[in-house]
Amino acid sequence: MRSYEKYFRMNRLPHIWCPGCGNGIVMKSIAKAAEQLGLDQDNTVIVSGIGCSSRASGYMNFDTLHTAHGRAIPFATGIKLANPKLKVIVITGDGDCTAIGGNHFIHGARRNIDLTVILFNNNIYGMTGGQASPLTPTGKKATTAPFGSVDTAFDPCELAKAAGASYIARGTAFHAKPLVDLIAQGISNNGFSLVEAITQCPISYGRRNKMGDAAGMLKWMSENAVPLAAYEKLAEEQKGDKFPIGVLYQKTAPEYSAEYAKVIKLAQGGK
Amino acid sequence: MGIEITTLKERCKGCNICAAFCPKKILAMDTLGKVYVTDEKACINCGQCELRCPDYAIYVEKKVEK
Ligand SMILES: Cc1ncc(C[n+]2csc(CCOP(=O)(O)OP(=O)(O)O)c2C)c(N)n1
Ligand code: SF4
Ligand code: SF4
Ligand code: SF4
């Protein structure tokens, strides 16, 4: 028993995720970030969509809301506007966040509303058996792309940046320790934060793409994730499958619930 | 002195992540596919196994002498 486990609903463990699924590692990083910040369980809300990753809300010992596929950000927006004092954390999958929920994602970022979105990116629709998502890399196999995906994948961090998010970071399940800090910084940021956590789905993605078992997929992360400063020094031809990790972008910008509160005051006759 | 490795077999799913990253190669899966420790004395308390166990089924601690 570890101290961060107070943030789990212990009577719900073991969780339902497959052997070797990275979701358990990322969920632990969220619990550790909550502990690092000393988050109050009665003033923190976890909101998720639908998917394997979105099941995490059911295991976390906060006020939690398991919503509809792709709709976690709108529910979270409502919660934040109803009670701006709450810390609101969104747990979402790559399909949930960038396919069916893609529009909500960009508009949440555009508003810079104070939510922390933790995107569990396993590059696939895990729960439904391995259909391609907008984050499936070109050439990777899925049930809907048996010869390899033809589409170009989104970079969700670039997408969030262009849309207006004020804190953007990427980590991996292999780099589980630094992921805790990236999440904690995201929660501390007063605005829309995206933490993309690269995680392994050995069952619906790794197996089909001959990436080895869960440990093999984690090893792939260790070999290809590069801290941002070092990544920027790589020549184009060295980049290959490599991707930057760490805090990728930060800015200060007006936060939506604070701006909205001003409108409420005006509408009620205040100055 | 002394390191204690605790395994929770009821949580372990036998994914082998802990064994694959253990630098001392002292973790293995039993016939039921659950983790077990082959040589606790060789453990260096690096915490690699606990860090990435997706099922919170292995803990490593320095034994406190009472
Ligand atoms: C409106 C709606 N459409 C489709 C589905 C079926 N569905 C359930 S989970 C899922 C995809 C999950 O993929 P992702 O968001 O990447 O999460 P993962 O399971 O990989 O963690 C889909 C399409 C649904 N539940 N609701
Ligand atoms: S299908 Fe993939 S994402 Fe879903 S629980 Fe299994 S390994 Fe994890
Ligand atoms: S990493 Fe955890 S779940 Fe996987 S084999 Fe080791 S103890 Fe079991
Ligand atoms: S603490 Fe390190 S040496 Fe000891 S069992 Fe775990 S991974 Fe192996």
Side-chain angles (χ1 to χ4, degrees):
Chain A
M1 173 84 192
R2 290 288 190 226
S3 50
Y4 61 81
E5 292 191 358
K6 66 174 176 287
Y7 292 109
F8 292 151
R9 292 175 181 151
M10 297 303 284
N11 59 346
R12 300 282 183 88
L13 296 178
H15 52 62
I16 61 151
W17 295 315
C18 305
C21 176
N23 290 347
I25 305 177
V26 180
M27 187 168 83
K28 180 162 70 176
S29 295
I30 299 173
K32 285 184 172 175
E35 186 179 43
Q36 195 184 98
L37 297 171
L39 289 189
D40 175 357
Q41 277 147 297
D42 293 327
N43 283 300
T44 305
V45 185
I46 303 223
V47 187
S48 67
I50 296 290
C52 295
S53 43
S54 288
R55 301 279 306 222
S57 60
Y59 301 117
M60 303 208 71
N61 196 11
F62 296 90
D63 289 326
T64 61
L65 204 63
H66 194 178
T67 71
H69 194 29
R71 314 301 176 208
I73 291 173
F75 279 87
T77 300
I79 293 165
K80 186 71 190 176
L81 289 180
N83 186 354
K85 284 199 293 291
L86 297 175
K87 290 270 183 209
V88 185
I89 299 169
V90 172
I91 292 178
T92 176
D94 45 300
D96 197 65
C97 185
T98 66
I100 190 167
N103 216 356
H104 301 306
F105 176 56
I106 57 174
H107 291 286
R110 178 172 68 88
R111 288 170 165 156
N112 193 36
I113 183 160
D114 183 23
L115 307 176
T116 303
V117 175
I118 301 162
L119 166 54
F120 288 49
N121 180 10
N122 58 13
N123 306 106
I124 204 81
Y125 284 8
M127 179 170 265
T128 43
Q131 298 78 7
S133 90
L135 302 191
T136 302
T138 313
K140 290 291 185 187
K141 291 191 174 126
T143 56
T144 49
F147 300 100
S149 174
V150 178
D151 302 33
T152 299
F154 276 138
D155 178 333
C157 294
E158 291 295 333
L159 188 60
K161 179 180 167 188
S166 52
Y167 172 91
I168 299 165
R170 182 188 285 120
T172 84
F174 178 83
H175 303 86
K177 242 184 223 157
L179 182 58
V180 177
D181 296 326
L182 295 176
I183 293 170
Q185 286 179 60
I187 296 171
S188 302
N189 173 51
N190 183 30
F192 192 93
S193 303
L194 170 69
V195 181
E196 181 190 1
I198 308 290
T199 174
Q200 74 277 11
C201 168
I203 303 303
S204 298
Y205 183 70
R207 207 163 42 172
R208 188 170 285 113
N209 284 292
K210 304 204 168 23
M211 296 178 76
D213 61 1
M217 295 179 82
L218 284 165
K219 196 160 168 281
W220 179 89
M221 292 174 205
S222 79
E223 287 161 358
N224 288 288
V226 183
L228 180 65
Y231 181 84
E232 281 173 341
K233 290 196 190 94
L234 293 177
E236 262 332 292
E237 65 274 14
Q238 290 175 306
K239 284 183 180 163
D241 280 351
K242 294 196 166 39
F243 56 89
I245 54 169
V247 178
L248 304 183
Y249 181 73
Q250 248 176 318
K251 70 170 181 188
T252 43
E255 191 278 321
Y256 192 76
S257 58
E259 296 305 304
Y260 203 85
K262 291 181 195 165
V263 175
I264 293 172
K265 216 171 159 195
L266 276 176
Q268 290 173 341
K271 279 184 204 94
Chain B
M1 56 148 280
I3 310 289
E4 192 169 31
I5 306 173
T6 308
T7 57
L8 301 180
K9 299 221 189 234
E10 67 278 20
R11 283 200 200 158
C12 174
K13 292 177 187 159
C15 69
N16 208 53
I17 290 175
C18 55
F21 290 104
C22 173
K24 303 308 280 184
K25 298 283 165 241
I26 54 168
L27 301 173
M29 301 304 127
D30 67 18
T31 48
L32 292 174
K34 306 280 182 180
V35 68
Y36 76 100
V37 184
T38 59
D39 182 8
E40 194 171 56
K41 286 190 296 300
C43 176
I44 55 169
N45 194 16
C46 67
Q48 293 290 307
C49 51
E50 178 175 339
L51 179 66
R52 300 192 190 85
C53 171
D55 285 273
Y56 328 124
I58 186 162
Y59 300 89
V60 192
E61 225 139 20
K62 226 180 207 138
K63 236 184 290 185
V64 191
E65 302 290 336
K66 286 198 188 116

